[in-house]
mmCIF file of all heavy atoms in Angstrom:
data_model
loop_
_atom_site.group_PDB
_atom_site.id
_atom_site.type_symbol
_atom_site.label_atom_id
_atom_site.label_comp_id
_atom_site.label_asym_id
_atom_site.label_seq_id
_atom_site.Cartn_x
_atom_site.Cartn_y
_atom_site.Cartn_z
ATOM 1 N N ASN A 1 0.817 -1.209 0.000
ATOM 2 C CA ASN A 1 0.000 0.000 0.000
ATOM 3 C C ASN A 1 0.853 1.262 0.000
ATOM 4 O O ASN A 1 0.460 2.279 -0.575
ATOM 5 C CB ASN A 1 -0.933 -0.003 1.218
ATOM 6 C CG ASN A 1 -2.108 -0.939 1.029
ATOM 7 O OD1 ASN A 1 -2.118 -1.747 0.112
ATOM 8 N ND2 ASN A 1 -3.093 -0.846 1.894
ATOM 9 N N ASN A 2 1.996 1.214 0.663
ATOM 10 C CA ASN A 2 2.911 2.359 0.629
ATOM 11 C C ASN A 2 3.416 2.599 -0.790
ATOM 12 O O ASN A 2 3.564 3.737 -1.234
ATOM 13 C CB ASN A 2 4.091 2.126 1.568
ATOM 14 C CG ASN A 2 3.686 2.066 3.023
ATOM 15 O OD1 ASN A 2 2.549 2.358 3.369
ATOM 16 N ND2 ASN A 2 4.607 1.676 3.889
ATOM 17 N N THR A 3 3.714 1.512 -1.494
ATOM 18 C CA THR A 3 4.187 1.623 -2.868
ATOM 19 C C THR A 3 3.104 2.183 -3.777
ATOM 20 O O THR A 3 3.372 2.991 -4.668
ATOM 21 C CB THR A 3 4.621 0.241 -3.384
ATOM 22 O OG1 THR A 3 5.571 -0.332 -2.492
ATOM 23 C CG2 THR A 3 5.244 0.340 -4.763
ATOM 24 N N LEU A 4 1.880 1.782 -3.540
ATOM 25 C CA LEU A 4 0.768 2.151 -4.403
ATOM 26 C C LEU A 4 0.499 3.653 -4.412
ATOM 27 O O LEU A 4 0.092 4.210 -5.434
ATOM 28 C CB LEU A 4 -0.487 1.396 -3.969
ATOM 29 C CG LEU A 4 -1.701 1.419 -4.896
ATOM 30 C CD1 LEU A 4 -1.314 0.950 -6.295
ATOM 31 C CD2 LEU A 4 -2.800 0.546 -4.332
ATOM 32 N N ILE A 5 0.758 4.338 -3.305
ATOM 33 C CA ILE A 5 0.485 5.781 -3.240
ATOM 34 C C ILE A 5 1.705 6.624 -3.596
ATOM 35 O O ILE A 5 1.629 7.858 -3.611
ATOM 36 C CB ILE A 5 -0.020 6.200 -1.841
ATOM 37 C CG1 ILE A 5 1.066 5.968 -0.777
ATOM 38 C CG2 ILE A 5 -1.304 5.472 -1.483
ATOM 39 C CD1 ILE A 5 0.744 6.587 0.586
ATOM 40 N N LEU A 6 2.820 5.994 -3.897
ATOM 41 C CA LEU A 6 4.066 6.722 -4.141
ATOM 42 C C LEU A 6 3.917 7.719 -5.283
ATOM 43 O O LEU A 6 4.224 8.907 -5.147
ATOM 44 C CB LEU A 6 5.186 5.725 -4.445
ATOM 45 C CG LEU A 6 6.587 6.300 -4.674
ATOM 46 C CD1 LEU A 6 7.097 6.983 -3.421
ATOM 47 C CD2 LEU A 6 7.543 5.197 -5.106
ATOM 48 N N GLY A 7 3.435 7.253 -6.436
ATOM 49 C CA GLY A 7 3.266 8.134 -7.585
ATOM 50 C C GLY A 7 2.102 9.087 -7.447
ATOM 51 O O GLY A 7 2.264 10.305 -7.610
ATOM 52 N N PRO A 8 0.889 8.580 -7.163
ATOM 53 C CA PRO A 8 -0.263 9.484 -7.053
ATOM 54 C C PRO A 8 -0.111 10.561 -5.991
ATOM 55 O O PRO A 8 -0.664 11.650 -6.131
ATOM 56 C CB PRO A 8 -1.415 8.528 -6.702
ATOM 57 C CG PRO A 8 -1.000 7.209 -7.239
ATOM 58 C CD PRO A 8 0.489 7.172 -7.083
ATOM 59 N N GLY A 9 0.626 10.264 -4.926
ATOM 60 C CA GLY A 9 0.814 11.253 -3.873
ATOM 61 C C GLY A 9 1.968 12.193 -4.128
ATOM 62 O O GLY A 9 2.173 13.146 -3.369
ATOM 63 N N GLY A 10 2.745 11.926 -5.195
ATOM 64 C CA GLY A 10 3.913 12.750 -5.485
ATOM 65 C C GLY A 10 5.015 12.599 -4.461
ATOM 66 O O GLY A 10 5.848 13.495 -4.286
ATOM 67 N N PHE A 11 5.050 11.446 -3.766
ATOM 68 C CA PHE A 11 5.990 11.272 -2.655
ATOM 69 C C PHE A 11 7.397 10.936 -3.123
ATOM 70 O O PHE A 11 7.600 10.432 -4.231
ATOM 71 C CB PHE A 11 5.502 10.163 -1.714
ATOM 72 C CG PHE A 11 4.253 10.495 -0.960
ATOM 73 C CD1 PHE A 11 3.119 9.706 -1.063
ATOM 74 C CD2 PHE A 11 4.200 11.606 -0.140
ATOM 75 C CE1 PHE A 11 1.964 10.001 -0.372
ATOM 76 C CE2 PHE A 11 3.054 11.928 0.559
ATOM 77 C CZ PHE A 11 1.931 11.123 0.449
ATOM 78 N N ARG A 12 8.339 11.191 -2.244
ATOM 79 C CA ARG A 12 9.720 10.744 -2.394
ATOM 80 C C ARG A 12 9.988 9.681 -1.338
ATOM 81 O O ARG A 12 9.220 9.514 -0.388
ATOM 82 C CB ARG A 12 10.689 11.917 -2.234
ATOM 83 C CG ARG A 12 10.461 13.013 -3.262
ATOM 84 C CD ARG A 12 11.281 14.249 -2.953
ATOM 85 N NE ARG A 12 10.946 15.348 -3.861
ATOM 86 C CZ ARG A 12 11.358 16.598 -3.706
ATOM 87 N NH1 ARG A 12 12.130 16.915 -2.670
ATOM 88 N NH2 ARG A 12 11.008 17.532 -4.567
ATOM 89 N N PHE A 13 11.099 8.980 -1.505
ATOM 90 C CA PHE A 13 11.401 7.853 -0.621
ATOM 91 C C PHE A 13 11.417 8.275 0.845
ATOM 92 O O PHE A 13 10.937 7.562 1.720
ATOM 93 C CB PHE A 13 12.756 7.246 -1.006
ATOM 94 C CG PHE A 13 13.013 5.902 -0.383
ATOM 95 C CD1 PHE A 13 12.710 4.741 -1.062
ATOM 96 C CD2 PHE A 13 13.566 5.806 0.889
ATOM 97 C CE1 PHE A 13 12.942 3.500 -0.488
ATOM 98 C CE2 PHE A 13 13.802 4.577 1.461
ATOM 99 C CZ PHE A 13 13.491 3.417 0.771
ATOM 100 N N GLY A 14 11.959 9.457 1.132
ATOM 101 C CA GLY A 14 12.129 9.887 2.515
ATOM 102 C C GLY A 14 10.930 10.572 3.133
ATOM 103 O O GLY A 14 11.021 11.068 4.265
ATOM 104 N N ASP A 15 9.800 10.596 2.424
ATOM 105 C CA ASP A 15 8.628 11.301 2.946
ATOM 106 C C ASP A 15 7.828 10.481 3.958
ATOM 107 O O ASP A 15 7.047 11.047 4.738
ATOM 108 C CB ASP A 15 7.689 11.699 1.793
ATOM 109 C CG ASP A 15 8.254 12.842 0.960
ATOM 110 O OD1 ASP A 15 9.141 13.558 1.474
ATOM 111 O OD2 ASP A 15 7.818 13.011 -0.187
ATOM 112 N N TYR A 16 7.998 9.163 3.942
ATOM 113 C CA TYR A 16 7.113 8.307 4.728
ATOM 114 C C TYR A 16 7.417 8.343 6.224
ATOM 115 O O TYR A 16 6.522 8.230 7.054
ATOM 116 C CB TYR A 16 7.199 6.860 4.212
ATOM 117 C CG TYR A 16 6.537 6.664 2.878
ATOM 118 C CD1 TYR A 16 7.133 7.095 1.706
ATOM 119 C CD2 TYR A 16 5.305 6.028 2.770
ATOM 120 C CE1 TYR A 16 6.531 6.927 0.474
ATOM 121 C CE2 TYR A 16 4.689 5.843 1.541
ATOM 122 C CZ TYR A 16 5.306 6.296 0.403
ATOM 123 O OH TYR A 16 4.699 6.128 -0.816
ATOM 124 N N TRP A 17 8.683 8.468 6.572
ATOM 125 C CA TRP A 17 9.057 8.342 7.983
ATOM 126 C C TRP A 17 8.523 9.483 8.850
ATOM 127 O O TRP A 17 8.353 9.323 10.051
ATOM 128 C CB TRP A 17 10.582 8.258 8.131
ATOM 129 C CG TRP A 17 11.297 9.542 7.827
ATOM 130 C CD1 TRP A 17 11.812 9.937 6.634
ATOM 131 C CD2 TRP A 17 11.590 10.598 8.747
ATOM 132 N NE1 TRP A 17 12.389 11.181 6.731
ATOM 133 C CE2 TRP A 17 12.271 11.606 8.023
ATOM 134 C CE3 TRP A 17 11.335 10.803 10.101
ATOM 135 C CZ2 TRP A 17 12.705 12.785 8.618
ATOM 136 C CZ3 TRP A 17 11.770 11.994 10.689
ATOM 137 C CH2 TRP A 17 12.452 12.956 9.956
ATOM 138 N N ARG A 18 8.219 10.608 8.254
ATOM 139 C CA ARG A 18 7.773 11.761 9.046
ATOM 140 C C ARG A 18 6.470 11.453 9.783
ATOM 141 O O ARG A 18 6.300 11.841 10.942
ATOM 142 C CB ARG A 18 7.588 12.982 8.137
ATOM 143 C CG ARG A 18 8.846 13.367 7.388
ATOM 144 C CD ARG A 18 8.638 14.622 6.561
ATOM 145 N NE ARG A 18 9.780 14.885 5.691
ATOM 146 C CZ ARG A 18 9.924 15.978 4.948
ATOM 147 N NH1 ARG A 18 8.985 16.922 4.993
ATOM 148 N NH2 ARG A 18 10.978 16.140 4.187
ATOM 149 N N LEU A 19 5.560 10.786 9.121
ATOM 150 C CA LEU A 19 4.340 10.327 9.782
ATOM 151 C C LEU A 19 4.504 8.905 10.291
ATOM 152 O O LEU A 19 3.957 8.534 11.333
ATOM 153 C CB LEU A 19 3.151 10.401 8.816
ATOM 154 C CG LEU A 19 1.781 9.997 9.369
ATOM 155 C CD1 LEU A 19 1.343 10.944 10.494
ATOM 156 C CD2 LEU A 19 0.731 9.987 8.265
ATOM 157 N N GLY A 20 5.282 8.099 9.557
ATOM 158 C CA GLY A 20 5.425 6.678 9.891
ATOM 159 C C GLY A 20 6.172 6.405 11.172
ATOM 160 O O GLY A 20 5.804 5.503 11.940
ATOM 161 N N LEU A 21 7.243 7.172 11.451
ATOM 162 C CA LEU A 21 8.043 6.907 12.646
ATOM 163 C C LEU A 21 7.258 7.173 13.930
ATOM 164 O O LEU A 21 7.206 6.298 14.809
ATOM 165 C CB LEU A 21 9.334 7.735 12.619
ATOM 166 C CG LEU A 21 10.285 7.522 13.800
ATOM 167 C CD1 LEU A 21 10.708 6.063 13.896
ATOM 168 C CD2 LEU A 21 11.509 8.431 13.669
ATOM 169 N N PRO A 22 6.637 8.345 14.097
ATOM 170 C CA PRO A 22 5.828 8.527 15.318
ATOM 171 C C PRO A 22 4.660 7.548 15.389
ATOM 172 O O PRO A 22 4.251 7.152 16.483
ATOM 173 C CB PRO A 22 5.345 9.972 15.227
ATOM 174 C CG PRO A 22 5.559 10.400 13.825
ATOM 175 C CD PRO A 22 6.699 9.590 13.307
ATOM 176 N N LEU A 23 4.129 7.133 14.246
ATOM 177 C CA LEU A 23 3.051 6.139 14.252
ATOM 178 C C LEU A 23 3.557 4.803 14.776
ATOM 179 O O LEU A 23 2.879 4.133 15.565
ATOM 180 C CB LEU A 23 2.471 5.983 12.844
ATOM 181 C CG LEU A 23 1.369 4.926 12.681
ATOM 182 C CD1 LEU A 23 0.199 5.208 13.618
ATOM 183 C CD2 LEU A 23 0.898 4.880 11.221
ATOM 184 N N GLU A 24 4.752 4.392 14.372
ATOM 185 C CA GLU A 24 5.309 3.129 14.857
ATOM 186 C C GLU A 24 5.610 3.205 16.353
ATOM 187 O O GLU A 24 5.434 2.222 17.078
ATOM 188 C CB GLU A 24 6.561 2.756 14.062
ATOM 189 C CG GLU A 24 6.249 2.371 12.619
ATOM 190 C CD GLU A 24 7.368 1.599 11.957
ATOM 191 O OE1 GLU A 24 8.430 1.397 12.609
ATOM 192 O OE2 GLU A 24 7.204 1.181 10.795
ATOM 193 N N VAL A 25 6.069 4.361 16.816
ATOM 194 C CA VAL A 25 6.281 4.539 18.257
ATOM 195 C C VAL A 25 4.957 4.403 18.999
ATOM 196 O O VAL A 25 4.867 3.733 20.046
ATOM 197 C CB VAL A 25 6.928 5.913 18.547
ATOM 198 C CG1 VAL A 25 6.965 6.167 20.052
ATOM 199 C CG2 VAL A 25 8.334 5.979 17.960
ATOM 200 N N LEU A 26 3.911 5.014 18.447
ATOM 201 C CA LEU A 26 2.583 4.901 19.055
ATOM 202 C C LEU A 26 2.112 3.445 19.085
ATOM 203 O O LEU A 26 1.538 2.991 20.086
ATOM 204 C CB LEU A 26 1.585 5.755 18.278
ATOM 205 C CG LEU A 26 0.120 5.658 18.724
ATOM 206 C CD1 LEU A 26 -0.051 6.285 20.112
ATOM 207 C CD2 LEU A 26 -0.802 6.338 17.715
ATOM 208 N N VAL A 27 2.355 2.707 18.013
ATOM 209 C CA VAL A 27 1.952 1.296 17.955
ATOM 210 C C VAL A 27 2.617 0.508 19.080
ATOM 211 O O VAL A 27 1.973 -0.298 19.759
ATOM 212 C CB VAL A 27 2.299 0.691 16.581
ATOM 213 C CG1 VAL A 27 2.158 -0.829 16.613
ATOM 214 C CG2 VAL A 27 1.389 1.267 15.504
ATOM 215 N N VAL A 28 3.902 0.742 19.305
ATOM 216 C CA VAL A 28 4.613 0.030 20.375
ATOM 217 C C VAL A 28 4.023 0.399 21.738
ATOM 218 O O VAL A 28 3.772 -0.481 22.588
ATOM 219 C CB VAL A 28 6.122 0.356 20.337
ATOM 220 C CG1 VAL A 28 6.828 -0.257 21.547
ATOM 221 C CG2 VAL A 28 6.742 -0.179 19.048
ATOM 222 N N LEU A 29 3.786 1.689 21.940
ATOM 223 C CA LEU A 29 3.264 2.138 23.234
ATOM 224 C C LEU A 29 1.861 1.599 23.510
ATOM 225 O O LEU A 29 1.508 1.339 24.671
ATOM 226 C CB LEU A 29 3.236 3.668 23.278
ATOM 227 C CG LEU A 29 4.610 4.364 23.235
ATOM 228 C CD1 LEU A 29 4.443 5.882 23.206
ATOM 229 C CD2 LEU A 29 5.461 3.951 24.432
ATOM 230 N N VAL A 30 1.056 1.428 22.479
ATOM 231 C CA VAL A 30 -0.302 0.911 22.661
ATOM 232 C C VAL A 30 -0.325 -0.611 22.664
ATOM 233 O O VAL A 30 -1.031 -1.242 23.471
ATOM 234 C CB VAL A 30 -1.229 1.455 21.546
ATOM 235 C CG1 VAL A 30 -2.611 0.798 21.627
ATOM 236 C CG2 VAL A 30 -1.366 2.962 21.645
ATOM 237 N N ALA A 31 0.454 -1.228 21.780
ATOM 238 C CA ALA A 31 0.367 -2.676 21.591
ATOM 239 C C ALA A 31 0.925 -3.459 22.771
ATOM 240 O O ALA A 31 0.346 -4.487 23.170
ATOM 241 C CB ALA A 31 1.095 -3.075 20.305
#
């Protein structure tokens, strides 16, 4: 799913971690 939005969202490789990293931290804290 991350790959699928790469082109339509105009993203670059390094754009995902900005939202993804705090989300993964949240997942650990909740899970």
Side-chain angles (χ1 to χ4, degrees):
N1 284 12
N2 294 351
T3 306
L4 192 54
I5 64 170
L6 182 63
F11 292 122
R12 300 171 186 170
F13 194 94
D15 287 340
Y16 288 76
W17 70 268
R18 302 183 188 186
L19 182 63
L21 182 59
L23 177 58
E24 291 198 357
V25 172
L26 175 68
V27 168
V28 173
L29 294 177
V30 173

